[in-house]
Amino acid sequence: MASHATSGAARERGEAGSAAAAVAAPILLLEGVAKSYRTGQVTVPALRGVSLDVGLGEFVALTGPSGSGKSTLLHICGLIDAPDAGRYELLGRDTGRLSPRELAVVRREKLGFIFQGFNLVPVLTALENVEVPLLLAGAPRAERAARARAAIEAVGLRGLERRRPDELSGGQRQRVAIARALVGQPKLVLADEPTANLDGATAAQVIDLMRELGRTRDVTFIVATHDGRMAAHCDRVVALKDGTLA
Amino acid sequence: MKWLWFAVKNVRRNRRRSATTVLIAVVGTASLLVGGGFVEYIYALLRRIAATDSGHVILAHRDHFAMAEDVPMQHGLDDAPSAKARLEADPRVSAALPRLQFSGLISNGDKSAVFIGTGIDAAGEFRVRGSFLWKVTAGSALAARLPEDDLPEIMLGNDLARQLRAAPGSTLTLLATTTEGNLNAQDVRVKGIYTVGVPDLDRRAVLVHIATAQKLLLTDRVSTISVYLRRIEDSDAMRAAMGGLFPGRALQTWRDQAFYYRAVRALYNRIFGLLGAIIVVLVLFAVSNTIGMAVVERTREIGTFRALGAFPAQIMRNFVMEGLVVGVSGAAIGTVAAGLISFALGRSGVMMPPPPGYSVGYPLLISRSLELYLGAALVIVGASALAAWAVSHRAAARPIVEALAHV
Ligand SMILES: Nc1ncnc2c1ncn2[C@@H]1O[C@H](COP(=O)(O)OP(=O)(O)OP(=O)(O)O)[C@@H](O)[C@H]1O
Ligand SMILES: [Mg+2]
């Protein structure tokens, strides 16, 4: 873990990737990533040249004040938005070269998402919500059921499989969302303010759950938060300010 | 299968909205089917009337249909018996009936009137027509054969009989020009009075045995041979076959003579076609509206699915499936409803008023053909799927971040 943090730190200091070769290959490599939004005549820079690498299994907190570009960076890392400039390598592939369809396949096979508002499908049960990524990937029925059940158990919701989201507490809903993010055995999970809608104790539990699952399954997490206590739980804190790494 | 279940759940998410849309699809389907079934029934009825009137294929002298005659029967057929025998050898043919068209004056001694007569093979005519068109209102129909010990028999149209104060049993005289251009007369006895349903014809119509007409005109020719088939669908094939069998003769099918049928059909096609189009457009709008609202409400869900790796096509497919759930439910219920309505209307004994030019109405029946039911159901289901596609394809391809930020 420490070596990963070091490699990250090395990158932040602008030293070239030679140090990274010594550690496990980085799962994610950003070089000079920039992104700005145009609203009418005004162009708002959200990211201005962010370079970052993250190693396999790292649990990274992305902090910074509101408007510093956390969500924007997560969207780019999650392949749901494209940078205006710079380079993004995920699992050794230059994502700039991928077609929209290939990007969707990478998202489905390698990535997981956890949202602040949970984003569960209200008409589906907890179990069915967790099945969605497998269904999208066309997994056979028996495999879907088994894997979704296992994921539900892994987040401690055994017995609540048949509940719909509106029959679950906020913490339980976020656990369903975590199960959904992990059911496809992703390499990288992106969580945008996953605890912002939860009370302190529940938030801590959800963080601990993500940490533990990340560790046992060798999944990399990048969690955007402006909650200082949350950051304290993480291997590594990457701080953004005005679209650059602080 | 799982996605279908998902679509069903989503359709039930907003019950009232979906129910309204399904109801519109139900009413749309049922209207198409009842309206279409009514029109099909009318067409079938008019086809049958037309074909019963003229025969399915009509054989005549080369110039019969096109040119006026200088003297009666100039453009007649003279080999009627052999032609009849050859035609009736064909298994498709149920009868080949010679007819002789003639005209003249009919008199009761005090008063005369113009008539338009037809000499017929009575036995054959009554067999192919059944009781279908000649409604005998007094007396009885012509005997199968010409009576040997009495005057020749005649049937009169309703109004002509009234004009001549004739009743069954009365004696009248027919006057006509012979093939040689002389005037000839024949006493006849009224056997029956009938109506063909068209007032103009009832004022002039006279039916006699063909031998009576031939004797009056001094000819052994006939005007036409009407070929009656077992199935109306064979008409064109039979006409083609007869072209080879009787070279140098003129042929027409029932359709060539069915002016009323063709006019009604052209009019109804336009009226009901327009109504049908309006119904389909209504269903299109209803489904677009419902699915369109669902798309907007579920924009964040679309973004979430896309973030989880869904292709736009998968998103679209889900909404199209929801459109299909609505459309199929509506079409299924509408089909059953139309079946029941059609059945009930058929049972109710409602009579339609006589069409213009006819004095006899007909029962209101609604056809229930498989083609119509399949076609209408398909159109409604297709319209629903199309509407769902139209309102979801843009949202499905929208930038994911935008969709996720939607509130
Ligand atoms: N869709 C958009 N259109 C215009 N500007 C945007 C858009 N999304 C983000 N921005 C701007 O980009 C900058 C970075 O936004 P971003 O959402 O990444 O910040 P954040 O760190 O996630 O903030 P928060 O903590 O409030 O979620 C902000 O100045 C924001 O106003
Ligand atoms: Mg944010």
Side-chain angles (χ1 to χ4, degrees), chain A residues 70-72 116 192-193 224:
Chain A
K70 303 184 294 293
S71 296
T72 306
Q116 174 176 348
D192 198 352
E193 315 264 8

Side-chain angles (χ1 to χ4, degrees), chain A residues 107-108 119 123 128 136, chain B residues 9 13 300 304 306 309 314:
Chain A
R107 286 199 298 275
R108 147 187 312 190
N119 290 18
V123 294
E128 288 168 336
L136 287 172
Chain B
K9 282 184 167 190
R13 193 147 149 180
R300 221 143 68 94
T304 306
R306 300 260 340 261
Q314 287 176 304

